[in-house]
Amino acid sequence: MKTELISLNLSELEALVQKLGQPKFRGKQIYEWLYKGAESFDDMKNLPKDLRQKLSEEADIGTVKISEKFVSKIDETRKYLLQLKDGNYVEAVLMKYEYGYTICISTQVGCKMGCKFCASTIGGKERDLTAGELLSQIICVQKDLGQRISNIVMMGIGEPLDNFDNVLKFIELVNAPGGLNIGQRHISLSTCGLVDKMRDLADRQLQITLLISLHAPNNEKRSAIMPINKKYSIEEVLSACDYYIEKTGRRISFEYTLISGVNDSVTEADELATLLCGKLCHVNLIPVNKVEETGFEKGDKARIEAFRKQLEKRGIQATVRREMGSDINAACGQLRKKKNIELQNGE
């Protein structure tokens, strides 16, 4: 297989060009082109023609391409359907805030976790994304935007900790000086609760923010909507959270998708508060996105607010996530699903 250049750090690129009989500084030149969003070796005008030829024979740049783009007229949120080299598709969402731009990226093609409310898991998992494919989503969108992206959330298609090694390499690449140079404190990783990997991540003592997809206040309800809970109970997940906080000193955010009539009563808010009492945490309440296959609905604003107020009454910091890109169906997984259906139907 050809080497994917965008998955290499600067030292690895320098070693590659030296192996090809070229001076070390050529690696730095390639590195700079990659982070400018070069799509072919012909774009790299300051490289000798013979080196470009050798590279084309032995390596791929590893870029992703924009297949479709939707821009919200409400809040300028951008949703991208991105095509990978093998023809698969993933999604990325760009959100504009007062402090700058945040991108939500995918970590896998599809997902095998099976959460009942999520469109990303429909059809299962195709494969992991490489570190370079994670990085390329940011480079591609930043090039299209024409402005710097300052924050990253790994909350798109896929389970990041199920792609552990590539995600760690991606964090190294995106954090590196001379590249995108995005600090670890500007990176968030969302997991449904792979306890062994959570503990492994804690041992690395990174300064990223860990987001835990909890979505229910007890094991019975969580197992019903999140199959992973049958392997790792809430108690095991929370124990791993305590370990992560102990190792990193970083506050954890718990994501809780509010599903009308399933997990959004004041009683369940009270149960959740008891569960999280005394923990260094924040709860991010997410009104469920409408996905045709699930039949789930979000409650009205009064019901959502009552849930939030009950948590705060019990001393748990909680916010309701602002809905962004509502006019472009910015919920993750639905654009890829639609594209796959079109391809299956020969459209």
Side-chain angles (χ1 to χ4, degrees), residues 169-184:
K169 181 63 177 292
F170 160 72
I171 293 171
E172 173 203 331
L173 293 173
V174 81
N175 189 214
L180 293 180
N181 196 20
I182 297 175
Q184 289 187 12

Side-chain angles (χ1 to χ4, degrees), residues 94 125 165 175 180 183 210 218 225 241 286 302 311 330:
L94 183 77
K125 170 187 161 184
D165 292 339
N175 189 214
L180 293 180
L210 187 62
N218 58 60
I225 59 175
C241 288
I286 308 168
L311 289 179

Side-chain angles (χ1 to χ4, degrees), residues 64-67 80-84 88-90 92 137 140:
V64 301
K65 294 184 178 180
I66 298 172
S67 174
Y80 293 85
L81 181 68
L82 302 172
Q83 186 174 29
L84 308 174
N88 274 304
Y89 293 89
V90 292
Q137 294 174 65
C140 177

Side-chain angles (χ1 to χ4, degrees), residues 124-315:
K125 170 187 161 184
E126 293 282 337
R127 66 172 178 85
D128 291 329
L129 295 186
T130 65
E133 286 172 328
L134 272 72
L135 186 65
S136 288
Q137 294 174 65
I138 304 169
I139 293 172
C140 177
V141 171
Q142 185 168 270
K143 184 179 178 182
D144 180 65
L145 178 66
Q147 296 187 55
R148 173 176 165 76
I149 294 171
S150 57
N151 294 271
I152 303 164
V153 184
M154 285 178 266
M155 199 192 292
I157 296 170
E159 162 57 59
L161 295 187
D162 188 44
N163 189 13
F164 193 76
D165 292 339
N166 285 320
V167 164
L168 286 183
K169 181 63 177 292
F170 160 72
I171 293 171
E172 173 203 331
L173 293 173
V174 81
N175 189 214
L180 293 180
N181 196 20
I182 297 175
Q184 289 187 12
R185 287 176 180 262
H186 295 270
I187 301 171
S188 298
L189 182 153
S190 173
T191 178
C192 65
L194 304 189
V195 167
D196 55 340
K197 297 300 183 184
M198 287 171 62
R199 290 181 173 275
D200 197 350
L201 185 67
D203 289 336
R204 312 294 172 122
Q205 296 188 7
L206 303 178
Q207 289 299 292
I208 65 172
T209 297
L210 187 62
L211 312 175
I212 305 298
S213 294
L214 196 59
H215 306 312
N218 58 60
N219 284 313
E220 182 181 1
K221 291 214 166 187
R222 193 167 191 262
S223 294
I225 59 175
M226 298 181 70
I228 191 64
N229 198 71
K230 296 171 185 176
K231 182 174 183 179
Y232 298 117
S233 69
I234 288 179
E235 291 76 18
E236 290 174 288
V237 171
L238 293 182
S239 175
C241 288
D242 291 340
Y243 184 73
Y244 187 87
I245 294 169
E246 176 190 337
K247 284 289 187 177
T248 67
R250 301 284 288 162
R251 185 182 75 169
I252 284 177
S253 284
F254 290 96
E255 298 163 312
Y256 193 101
T257 296
L258 291 166
I259 307 170
S260 182
V262 176
N263 64 353
D264 68 337
S265 71
V266 172
T267 299
E268 283 153 334
D270 207 46
E271 192 175 358
L272 179 61
T274 299
L275 194 66
L276 301 181
C277 183
K279 295 191 181 298
L280 181 62
C281 70
H282 172 267
V283 177
N284 187 21
L285 299 172
I286 308 168
V288 71
N289 291 305
K290 187 174 178 61
V291 177
E292 186 178 334
E293 288 84 351
T294 68
F296 290 145
E297 299 282 351
K298 64 182 176 183
D300 59 31
K301 288 183 179 180
R303 190 173 178 89
I304 292 169
E305 185 62 12
F307 194 99
R308 184 193 67 79
K309 284 184 175 179
Q310 185 63 22
L311 289 179
E312 294 203 336
K313 181 180 177 182
R314 292 285 308 277

Side-chain angles (χ1 to χ4, degrees), residues 5-6 29-47 52 60-65 85 136 139-140 143:
L5 295 186
I6 195 67
Q29 290 177 321
I30 296 170
Y31 186 79
E32 290 171 347
W33 279 114
L34 293 174
Y35 285 84
K36 288 177 184 176
E39 296 181 7
S40 75
F41 294 113
D42 290 336
D43 292 338
M44 303 178 183
K45 301 297 184 184
N46 58 348
L47 298 184
R52 282 183 273 163
D60 280 322
I61 291 176
T63 56
V64 301
K65 294 184 178 180
K85 294 282 287 186
S136 288
I139 293 172
C140 177
K143 184 179 178 182

